[in-house]
Amino acid sequence: MTRVLDSYVQDAWWSPDDAADAVVVRDASTGAEVCRVSTAGLDLAAAVVHARTVGQRSLGALTFHQRALLLKQFALALTACKDELYALSAHTGATSRDNLSDIDGGLGVLFTYSSKGRRELPNAQVVVDGPAEPLAKDGSFLGRHVYTRLPGVAVQINAFNFPMWGALEKFAPAFLAGVPTIVKPATPTAYVAEAWVRILVESGLLPAGSLQLVSGAVPGLFDLLDLGDTVGFTGSAGTAERLRSQAKPGVRFTSETDSINASVLGPDATPDTPEFDAYVRQLLSELVTKAGQKCTAIRRAIVPEGVQPALATALAAKIAERVVVGDPRAEGVTMGPVVSTAQRDEVLRSVRALQDAGGRLVIGSTAPPDIRRADGTTGQAPDGAFLEPMVLAFDAAHAEAGAAVHEVEAFGPVTSVLGYRSLAEAADLVGRGGGSLVTSIATHDPAVAVELITRVGAYNGRVLVLDRDDARTSTGHGSPVPHLVHGGPGRAGGGEELGGIRAVLHYMQRTAVQGSPRMLTALTGVWHAGAEADATGTHPFRKPLTQLRLGDRIESAEREVTLDDIETFAAFTGDTFYAHMDEAAASANPFFPGRVAHGYLLVSWAAGLFVDPDPGPVLANYGLENLRFLTPVSPGDRIRVALTAKQITPRETDEYGEVRWDAVIRNDRDEVVAEYDVLTLVAKEWPPAAQEATA
Ligand code: NAP
């Protein structure tokens, strides 16, 4: 007997004492036993408690940036063991090209979240959402939306087709949010999940309790979960519905399920266009990659009526040229088997259902194919889960009848071709999938793209427009990217697993917090106007990050604006806009009393008013944000500026960090002339440690 797969719970490896009832998992190509899976006797309740206590505590001790840096280190540790993961993945039927989506795709998710976490989240523990809302005239009472992490465990239940990427796309945002994860992989490929978890455990990088793995069934799981816990399910729509009904009301249950995705060929993309070629290449790729076992694969190719035969001919030629079905360990194989013989039989059942609904097999057959074996020989492989690429054609009448083509997911190398007579009909056919993860549109005509996107957007989580300009660089119909939403409405489950920082917020609760500026400053780490500010001490530009405090301020002297200054600035910069140069024209403008100073002159002067010019801890000014000119400044007015340290973000990996300053320019009537944030890089120590040693 091969080994029984371990689980990793309570920061230790666990295996069952009695594996008599273990499920046998077999190699997809040869049918040889790979491992057995059982959780008989596993204390799931203890794992949940461990996540909620130990995992929450260890992740709670870290900031977003510290967690983000760990994600990068996880990615590097896994990268170092990529070959081991590839070799294991071959048992699932994955070719080296398929590994790019699961193994390399998983690493890509970790790297992306690491970088996004450090660029888009504060080096803190809460996320603010939107601007502060003033709720009292004197500024003493404000409201602000703030995200704090959920106090429970993120349980993820995954599909068999992406044992690494599918888990990491949920783990990365949960980890970044500060919520510990329990991974429950699908049984047929659980050994790949066990391998990447083992690599992370052996790296010694995982904070205690932050990641646990349950290799096998999870009976009673939903009784253990409560308010503050999440379940992220990926799998078939049927299983999702069953599990959703078991979750208590307080448990956030999101699902990413199967979807009958579409790809529309625009009416302009006739067979002699680059768009037609790109469409055919994409269709081939979606048919063959992972032997069609992708939730995002194209199940319906929707093409202008009459183009079906040309499409079938072009696709058949490409398949003949490029597709070699066989054991992924054999040289030259481009399409492996599906994951198991049970899955193969399930796909054949679905193909028969599509045929019963009027589909004609125009490419491929349901007969067992001759395949290339690992030793290079060719022939039948009854113990392997091999299928040929299969394409079914439906005529318009059947499409109109609302046949199974919109409902049956043949989760293998299978796609159906349908004709449409108008864009409205094409969009209607897309919508009949009942909600999809993705639709792609091949067109070079912006009017076609806009009409289709506005009609099908509501039915899709993602829409990809393919044309001659992006065909070479497109990431592809079937490849979700961590920056953008992956999920879809209706049948697709309604989830949004990926989507950049949006995905992190799924593991956090948004709360409207009301209080004084002082309280909101303490909570958010962002200084709010009205909170304490100190303009009495050392100039804040003399303070390194270790000494600078929120509210440290410089209040400048006044400077008078003269007509001479305005004309000099106009001549120097070339900005002779009439509002600065022509009294009559400026007075006729509804916003100006007469000639006024340039806004950029005032901002430049403000810098001159607040700066401390000597070399010091302020290393650079890297921009302004949220600049608004609120009151025009006329010759004779006097301006002054107040600059207050608003947000201090030390970098984890550098000797400096970002400081955001609140800048307010006022005139001598105390009216606000301009407001903005000044962004600077400031050294953590000054003089820097090395200079100090030499001094
Ligand atoms: P599945 O049969 O629905 O199983 C999905 C997961 O649910 C597996 O981990 C399975 O574990 C688990 N499960 C089943 N019954 C359970 C229960 N009572 N309690 C807890 N967990 C339970 O789907 P699959 O065959 O693995 O995956 C293929 C399907 O996933 C396809 O339909 C595909 O479209 C979809 N999919 C969707 C996405 C997406 O992002 N939308 C991505 C990938 C795949 P066991 O394996 O141990 O039974």
Side-chain angles (χ1 to χ4, degrees):
M1 188 182 96
T2 54
R3 74 181 177 115
V4 179
L5 218 52
D6 288 343
S7 291
Y8 185 70
V9 284
Q10 297 179 268
D11 296 316
W13 289 102
W14 175 94
S15 58
D17 293 334
D18 174 10
D21 295 332
V23 179
V24 177
V25 178
R26 299 186 181 280
D27 183 285
S29 300
T30 64
E33 188 172 318
V34 177
C35 65
R36 293 180 176 224
V37 170
S38 167
T39 52
L42 183 132
D43 190 348
L44 197 56
V48 168
V49 170
H50 188 71
R52 288 196 193 123
T53 52
V54 177
Q56 279 278 334
R57 207 163 38 243
S58 63
L59 287 172
L62 304 173
T63 63
F64 292 120
H65 288 200
Q66 288 166 334
R67 294 178 204 138
L69 268 179
L70 277 170
L71 289 181
K72 184 172 176 185
Q73 289 169 290
F74 297 162
L76 293 171
L78 291 166
T79 303
C81 302
K82 243 177 14 177
D83 288 342
E84 178 191 330
L85 293 165
Y86 287 165
L88 212 49
S89 184
H91 291 297
T92 71
T95 62
S96 52
R97 191 148 187 262
D98 296 339
N99 286 332
L100 293 179
S101 31
D102 190 34
I103 312 288
D104 294 77
L107 298 174
V109 166
L110 292 176
F111 280 123
T112 304
Y113 273 96
S114 175
S115 124
K116 278 191 157 300
R118 282 173 289 151
R119 275 187 288 115
E120 297 174 34
L121 290 172
N123 196 1
Q125 299 202 332
V126 300
V127 180
V128 288
D129 174 39
E133 300 288 345
L135 299 172
K137 278 213 172 83
D138 68 355
S140 62
F141 188 60
L142 309 168
R144 193 139 207 192
H145 292 98
V146 173
Y147 282 94
T148 53
R149 71 187 170 129
L150 296 181
V153 56
V155 176
Q156 44 165 277
I157 301 174
N158 297 330
F160 69 77
N161 54 339
F162 286 108
M164 184 152 147
W165 170 81
L168 292 176
E169 70 164 338
K170 301 180 204 171
F171 171 69
F175 187 88
L176 205 43
V179 178
T181 290
I182 296 177
V183 176
K184 185 256 172 282
T187 295
T189 55
Y191 50 91
V192 178
E194 194 251 18
W196 70 255
V197 170
R198 191 175 286 278
I199 292 165
L200 289 188
V201 170
E202 285 173 3
S203 75
L205 294 164
L206 282 173
S210 60
L211 176 64
Q212 299 181 79
L213 172 77
V214 177
S215 302
V218 282
L221 169 72
F222 287 89
D223 296 334
L224 301 171
L225 303 180
D226 232 315
L227 181 65
D229 298 324
T230 65
V231 177
F233 172 85
T234 306
S236 59
T239 314
E241 277 328 295
R242 263 193 297 122
L243 298 188
R244 189 189 296 277
S245 66
Q246 293 177 30
K248 290 179 200 156
V251 177
R252 285 189 194 175
F253 184 98
T254 50
S255 65
E256 305 289 335
T257 53
D258 51 82
S259 105
I260 313 296
N261 309 293
S263 185
V264 182
L265 182 71
D268 58 305
T270 48
D272 53 344
T273 59
E275 283 68 36
F276 185 85
D277 286 345
Y279 186 82
V280 173
R281 279 199 305 275
Q282 180 173 268
L283 209 47
L284 175 79
S285 164
E286 294 304 318
L287 201 53
V288 170
T289 309
K290 292 206 68 98
Q293 300 165 107
K294 287 203 313 185
C295 52
T296 47
I298 298 170
R299 301 290 169 214
R300 296 171 298 156
I302 300 176
V303 305
E305 193 63 54
V307 178
Q308 296 100 314
L311 178 71
T313 306
L315 190 56
K318 281 261 183 298
I319 291 173
E321 184 192 330
R322 306 258 172 97
V323 180
V324 178
V325 179
D327 186 319
R329 287 156 292 220
E331 197 64 32
V333 163
T334 56
M335 188 177 104
V338 294
V339 75
S340 63
T341 47
Q343 183 63 27
R344 176 199 62 194
D345 297 344
E346 173 64 32
V347 173
L348 291 173
R349 265 195 298 278
S350 300
V351 170
R352 272 194 290 280
L354 291 169
Q355 287 175 305
D356 290 346
R360 288 174 290 112
L361 256 183
V362 290
I363 297 178
S365 99
T366 52
D370 278 347
I371 61 107
R372 191 173 296 179
R373 303 189 189 98
D375 61 7
T377 57
T378 303
Q380 292 281 305
D383 295 329
F386 295 100
L387 290 166
E388 280 183 7
M390 284 171 268
V391 178
L392 298 112
F394 282 78
D395 61 31
H398 281 99
E400 278 163 7
V405 66
H406 303 295
E407 287 154 20
V408 174
E409 183 199 41
F411 201 58
V414 182
T415 198
S416 300
V417 182
L418 307 165
Y420 71 83
R421 287 159 299 198
S422 67
L423 286 183
E425 189 183 23
D428 181 54
L429 292 172
V430 171
R432 284 165 71 179
S436 299
L437 296 169
V438 53
T439 287
S440 55
I441 300 166
T443 180
H444 197 47
D445 182 344
V448 170
V450 171
E451 177 164 357
L452 280 174
I453 294 168
T454 47
R455 283 177 184 268
V456 307
Y459 303 115
N460 285 278
R462 183 164 61 88
V463 175
L464 181 146
V465 185
L466 186 68
D467 70 358
R468 64 197 70 179
D469 298 336
D470 65 11
R472 276 164 50 82
T473 51
S474 161
T475 47
H477 168 106
S479 304
V481 290
H483 319 70
L484 301 176
V485 164
H486 169 53
R491 175 180 180 142
E496 295 186 356
E497 277 165 5
L498 291 177
I501 297 306
R502 288 177 204 87
V504 178
L505 302 180
H506 281 305
Y507 299 96
M508 306 186 83
Q509 174 67 40
R510 182 171 52 191
T511 307
V513 179
Q514 295 169 271
S516 66
R518 181 165 171 264
M519 291 301 166
L520 287 174
T521 297
L523 174 67
T524 61
V526 179
W527 180 83
H528 287 67
E532 285 97 337
D534 178 11
T536 60
T538 310
H539 189 295
F541 277 24
R542 307 288 347 137
K543 294 185 180 177
L545 280 196
T546 44
Q547 292 170 25
L548 190 68
R549 297 287 170 265
L550 292 182
D552 281 355
R553 171 181 281 180
I554 162 81
E555 287 175 355
S556 80
E558 280 190 346
R559 176 164 185 171
E560 185 175 336
V561 181
T562 69
L563 204 52
D564 232 23
D565 295 324
I566 296 173
E567 287 179 349
T568 305
F569 189 79
F572 183 49
T573 60
D575 180 356
T576 52
F577 187 62
Y578 72 88
H580 315 304
M581 305 305 289
D582 180 336
E583 187 64 33
S587 306
N589 178 304
F591 299 108
F592 302 124
R595 292 174 71 180
V596 293
H598 304 68
Y600 301 127
L601 167 62
L602 304 174
V603 169
S604 303
W605 274 3
L609 288 168
F610 64 60
V611 75
D612 180 294
D614 293 334
V618 177
L619 307 173
N621 170 355
Y622 70 96
L624 300 181
E625 273 182 6
N626 310 322
L627 173 60
R628 288 287 177 280
F629 297 118
L630 300 167
T631 310
V633 172
S634 306
D637 284 354
R638 292 192 310 278
I639 63 154
R640 65 182 193 282
V641 62
L643 189 79
T644 312
K646 185 174 184 177
Q647 191 173 19
I648 302 170
T649 311
R651 288 201 187 178
E652 290 297 324
T653 47
D654 293 302
E655 289 311 306
Y656 58 89
E658 283 88 14
V659 177
R660 178 182 289 269
W661 306 83
D662 177 83
V664 182
I665 303 176
R666 286 192 160 77
N667 63 21
D668 45 322
R669 294 178 296 285
D670 217 25
E671 294 161 331
V672 176
V673 164
E675 283 179 337
Y676 50 102
D677 289 354
V678 177
L679 310 174
T680 59
L681 299 176
V682 178
K684 287 181 177 168
E685 298 289 346
W686 195 265
Q691 282 189 14
E692 219 166 18
T694 12

